Amino acid sequence: MKTLRFIGAEAFISDEEYAKKNVKNVAHDLYPLLFKACYLHEKVEIIHLLVENWPLQDFNLGQLLGNTVDCPEDICHWACQLSLSACFKGLKSYVLNCSSNYMKRLKVVDLTAIKDIEIQPCKCKKTLGRWTRTEFLTKLCYDLLVEMQRMESNPLVFNVNINVFMHLFVTERNYELVVQALLMKCHCPLKIRCVDFRADSLSLRKLFYVLKLADPASINKLEIVHNVPLELDHLEVLLNNVTFPKLSSLTLPARTFNVTRYTAEDEIVLCKVGEKLSDITQLTELCLSFSILTGKIRKLLSPLKTPLKILEIANCSLNHADMAYLSNSLHAEHLQLLDLSGHSVTELFPSTFFKLLSKASRTLRTLILEECNIGDNHAHMIAIGLAPCRKLQEFKFLGNPISSRALRFLFNIFVDLPLLKYIEFPIPRDCYPHDVSYPLDECTLIKFDQQKYENIKDDLLSILLQANREDITAATPLFGSYDPAIGETSTELGTCLLTSFKQALEHFTTSLQKMN
């Protein structure tokens, strides 16, 4: 509930012309209040003025837009294009503003709390995503330096130093701008400080270079994804030459590891990579999905000095030895998120899978078992495995060949999990033709009986309703959960994948010609 102070702030900004004329006369401690009110109502011109004249030492979007005493609504997920653009332009104006330098108290800008979601609740409905924020701010830093050189500024402007903490997202398309901004950081009043770093569609040479510039000693989360051709030898080079003392989360691209091709020398390198990962003493999150790690998971995880809280090993071709290691490892008792998608856990490893769930039951918050060949004959096994997981909040099992009858059984089990809030369940098998085979390809996936599915979904929701569990959201996102990063850069990613495919075909054709 909004306080009278916040309602008063909304009344003040309702007359934009009056607010713009008098914003400089407002008491300094009311600036955060006015900023949130303006952000909520998209008063972009007033936002610009507020930031341009910001009287405080910190500008932290998490504190400004999060739950506050005067307005409990958390709007950090409003990555509003208009409002954020006004903020960033206001920062530039703040630096160039020729008022007395002693009035400039701002030292820290923290943008890390911005959350990207699929549908923007703001009025403009347009988002300024992480990639676009990276491009916008790096370009702004360059433009700021150019403008400072052109105009006869107060020389004291060059003494302004503001640390801008943010998450960088670098691809081929914005690489030059990012490198430019990081190289000139010592000269620019706005100094970009990278907290999380994501790289996609980037050559290895450029990746290693921009990582060095981004100050890896300060990076908490490193995501190297999709169209970055990182393999075992490259990873060893990276870990040998770059240290990440604060790194807590690491994501590697598909096929970074492919143990089916490894020689004896590669096995030695794999062990060295495991040892190097153990030097990252803060590491608690590891995503290795779509690498082939058959029989080798121990070599990577056993050297780690810190138990993992998040482990994503979807489609890693794990075997009995891998599951046995996981179920007996120190990590099992600390896992909060576990992704074992793409493995027939109930069919191939029932005992070790249940042991792993039992070990993780005190901490596990999210369990993902997509395309695990879970059928009706496995429903009771899943129910038994989930029973001790009393802290489970999310369960995702899309792409499994399970019928509506088995789903109804499972939903009656779900209602007894006290903290469960979100379920992603598959389209029931009986909504597809009888001759369909799993896993489903994209063309088959969408050819189901829509009306039958809706009726089944209503039945499942009624089970939640009758158990007074309206707090649980159940959904079937056909193509998986929304990924804002892919949504923002899908065109570039698609172009890079097509280029890679074309090059592969050319190499194949050349090889055939040589054989002839």
Side-chain angles (χ1 to χ4, degrees):
M1 189 176 189
K2 298 175 183 177
T3 63
L4 288 175
R5 270 170 37 106
F6 195 84
I7 294 170
E10 290 179 309
F12 177 79
I13 64 169
S14 62
D15 186 338
E16 289 192 53
E17 292 304 316
Y18 176 82
K20 285 190 289 185
K21 289 178 182 176
N22 292 279
V23 71
K24 292 183 181 180
N25 301 321
V26 172
H28 292 178
D29 62 341
L30 293 178
Y31 267 64
L33 191 72
L34 286 174
F35 179 83
K36 187 170 185 178
C38 288
Y39 200 98
L40 199 60
H41 296 282
E42 281 182 27
K43 302 290 186 179
V44 293
E45 292 184 26
I46 309 176
I47 288 174
H48 187 287
L49 281 172
L50 285 169
V51 178
E52 180 182 355
N53 296 281
W54 198 255
L56 308 174
Q57 288 191 341
D58 292 337
F59 182 83
N60 186 318
L61 280 183
Q63 295 174 0
L64 293 168
L65 301 180
N67 184 326
T68 59
V69 173
D70 293 296
C71 180
E73 184 180 3
D74 187 334
I75 55 173
C76 288
H77 58 288
W78 287 31
C80 175
Q81 184 183 91
L82 294 179
S83 298
L84 286 175
S85 298
C87 286
F88 301 158
K89 291 174 183 176
L91 276 175
K92 179 182 175 184
S93 298
Y94 177 92
V95 174
L96 296 173
N97 192 323
C98 293
S99 60
S100 300
N101 197 62
Y102 71 85
M103 293 293 289
K104 295 180 187 278
R105 300 180 59 208
L106 185 59
K107 297 297 180 188
V108 174
V109 173
D110 192 333
L111 308 175
T112 58
I114 303 171
K115 299 171 186 173
D116 296 305
I117 60 173
E118 185 172 6
I119 300 172
Q120 280 299 311
C122 59
K123 293 179 181 178
C124 76
K125 302 297 180 185
K126 295 178 181 178
T127 183
L128 199 70
R130 180 173 169 181
W131 186 91
T132 313
R133 293 195 297 272
T134 300
E135 182 185 51
F136 196 118
L137 277 161
T138 51
K139 186 177 186 303
L140 184 142
C141 288
Y142 176 76
D143 292 344
L144 178 59
L145 278 174
V146 171
E147 198 159 336
M148 287 168 64
Q149 294 291 339
R150 282 180 184 168
M151 62 188 290
E152 294 181 2
S153 302
N154 183 336
L156 292 176
V157 169
F158 287 88
N159 294 330
V160 176
N161 287 301
I162 302 171
N163 289 315
V164 181
F165 292 92
M166 62 179 294
H167 300 325
L168 291 179
F169 184 2
V170 186
T171 65
E172 181 68 39
R173 199 152 46 102
N174 67 359
Y175 170 80
E176 295 296 340
L177 275 174
V178 175
V179 166
Q180 191 172 247
L182 294 176
L183 280 172
M184 298 186 299
K185 182 164 62 177
C186 58
H187 304 293
C188 185
L190 298 178
K191 302 185 183 303
I192 291 176
R193 306 293 183 190
C194 178
V195 178
D196 293 356
F197 185 98
R198 182 182 176 98
D200 195 355
S201 304
L202 207 60
S203 70
L204 291 174
R205 181 182 63 81
K206 290 181 176 180
L207 169 66
F208 289 4
Y209 183 58
V210 74
L211 260 178
K212 281 279 192 178
L213 294 178
D215 186 13
S218 66
I219 294 175
N220 293 332
K221 184 175 185 177
L222 175 60
E223 297 173 281
I224 306 172
V225 298
H226 305 127
N227 204 37
V228 178
L230 188 78
E231 295 185 2
L232 177 66
D233 292 336
H234 311 129
L235 180 59
E236 185 196 20
V237 171
L238 176 63
L239 295 176
N240 280 336
N241 291 279
V242 183
T243 55
F244 300 94
K246 291 186 178 180
L247 193 70
S248 62
S249 178
L250 175 64
T251 298
L252 298 175
R255 297 303 177 101
T256 298
F257 305 99
N258 185 357
V259 301
T260 58
R261 303 181 314 185
Y262 285 0
T263 62
E265 290 77 12
D266 291 327
E267 294 284 346
I268 295 171
V269 174
L270 182 65
C271 291
K272 289 180 179 178
V273 166
E275 291 169 5
K276 281 294 179 183
L277 288 176
S278 72
D279 292 337
I280 308 174
T281 56
Q282 302 298 314
L283 189 67
T284 57
E285 303 178 12
L286 190 58
C287 177
L288 306 173
S289 296
F290 295 94
S291 277
I292 298 178
L293 288 165
T294 312
K296 305 298 180 183
I297 199 80
R298 177 193 291 271
K299 288 191 175 182
L300 280 178
L301 303 190
S302 62
L304 300 183
K305 296 182 175 70
T306 309
L308 293 173
K309 295 179 180 178
I310 293 178
L311 179 60
E312 297 184 28
I313 42 177
N315 297 282
C316 286
S317 301
L318 303 183
N319 64 12
H320 286 276
D322 296 314
M323 289 298 294
Y325 165 72
L326 288 174
S327 63
N328 289 294
S329 70
L330 179 63
H331 305 294
E333 297 178 359
H334 296 83
L335 289 173
Q336 295 180 7
L337 184 152
L338 176 63
D339 186 353
L340 287 169
S341 298
H343 299 100
S344 299
V345 288
T346 52
E347 186 88 28
L348 299 179
F349 326 112
S351 59
T352 49
F353 172 60
F354 290 143
K355 184 176 181 180
L356 177 57
L357 282 188
S358 177
K359 286 278 191 74
S361 60
R362 294 182 180 180
T363 56
L364 195 63
R365 306 286 191 274
T366 301
L367 178 62
I368 307 173
L369 299 175
E370 297 178 359
E371 296 187 351
C372 285
N373 200 31
I374 298 170
D376 288 14
N377 55 324
H378 304 123
H380 281 275
M381 298 169 70
I382 291 295
I384 293 170
L386 292 180
C389 301
R390 309 298 289 173
K391 293 187 177 180
L392 194 68
Q393 297 174 8
E394 295 185 358
F395 180 46
K396 303 178 182 181
F397 62 118
L398 297 171
N400 285 292
I402 195 165
S403 72
S404 56
R405 181 179 178 182
L407 281 174
R408 291 187 186 96
F409 168 76
L410 285 176
F411 268 67
N412 277 294
I413 301 299
F414 295 155
V415 297
D416 292 328
L417 297 173
L419 300 182
L420 190 64
K421 298 297 180 187
Y422 183 70
I423 305 165
E424 285 185 3
F425 66 96
I427 302 289
R429 183 164 191 158
D430 35 319
C431 291
Y432 288 103
H434 294 295
D435 59 348
V436 73
S437 59
Y438 284 76
L440 303 172
D441 57 47
E442 288 191 9
C443 292
T444 308
L445 181 64
I446 59 175
K447 294 177 181 177
F448 62 94
D449 188 327
Q450 183 73 42
Q451 186 58 55
K452 189 172 184 179
Y453 165 73
E454 292 297 338
N455 292 338
I456 294 170
K457 184 179 179 181
D458 288 343
D459 288 346
L460 297 176
L461 294 179
S462 69
I463 292 173
L464 301 180
L465 185 64
Q466 289 169 14
N468 294 318
R469 292 304 307 270
E470 299 96 325
D471 58 319
I472 298 177
T473 299
T476 308
L478 276 181
F479 300 103
S481 302
Y482 175 72
D483 186 333
I486 293 178
E488 194 176 8
T489 58
S490 56
T491 302
E492 183 179 6
L493 177 60
T495 302
C496 288
L497 290 174
L498 284 173
T499 302
S500 299
F501 182 63
K502 181 182 176 183
Q503 290 172 347
L505 284 177
E506 288 173 351
H507 291 153
F508 180 68
T509 305
T510 303
S511 299
L512 286 177
Q513 289 171 347
K514 288 179 179 178
M515 290 173 67
N516 296 330

